[in-house]
Amino acid sequence: MSPRADDSSTHESALGSDAVSGGARRRPNAARVAAVLVGLAAASLIAVLATRDSDDGSIRAASPLIGELVPHLRGELIWPPAAAEGDRPLPGVQIGADGVARFDIDATPRRWVLVNFFASWCVPCVREHPALAEWIERHQHDGALVAVPFGDRTADALTFYERLGGDWPVVDDPDARWAVAFGVLRPPESFLVTPDGIVAARWQGQITADDPDSVIAALVAQWNADADPTGSTR
């Protein structure tokens, strides 16, 4: 199916500066990850300025969060219903003394985290939904996915997931704290966070499961090359 203008995805991936303190994800080697990000920033910038997506004509977009530690945010879950019962532990989800399930982005160490902003009224969000399910299926053991309503009523966001399904956390954001912290303009938008808590990529528009995976593959290849600059295969 040929893409339409409203489901174009603009993307920036870079590997940028060191950052501030935070929670459990703020481990010492976050500085090393940020240094690797700096190493790829120049090449990524050239791609940002010179490359257009041949399918939808979109321009890759910048974000001040690229290369920085992810904002330390947490929020109450509105989905899935069984999360508060603890039937199936979800990465990043904690049950409080009040029995309320909350997602804490700093409670997902050693996992890639995909943060997805959506809305029930957003047509590209509906089309994107199967790709999110595919991505988290691929990354059951090394990934986490959290969805955040943007410009939407909580009840409508809940109905969206009741209709389409999904076994990942959906966090309520009634005060738009997550949206402001991530600088979201309109849904869908997605952000990829490394296992060390560094924001590695941002997409504006509908993504596929391969979009974050291509960034993951590039980062892993760069880290391996950085660990063994001789390129030996021993």
Side-chain angles (χ1 to χ4, degrees), residues 129-209:
H129 200 79
L132 300 179
E134 180 181 350
W135 187 85
I136 196 58
E137 178 67 22
R138 294 179 185 178
H139 295 276
Q140 293 181 57
H141 304 295
D142 69 343
L145 169 61
V146 58
V148 187
F150 176 85
D152 209 355
R153 297 187 306 173
T154 299
D156 291 338
L158 180 58
T159 299
F160 178 93
Y161 267 81
E162 288 175 339
R163 178 167 60 92
L164 297 180
D167 58 358
W168 54 88
V170 180
V171 178
D172 200 12
D173 190 28
D175 301 321
R177 292 183 299 110
W178 284 59
V180 170
F182 281 85
V184 176
L185 299 177
R186 67 174 185 175
E189 286 202 26
S190 299
F191 295 79
L192 179 67
V193 182
T194 73
D196 286 283
I198 302 295
V199 179
R202 174 197 190 187
W203 292 268
Q204 292 177 302
Q206 178 183 341
I207 65 171
T208 69

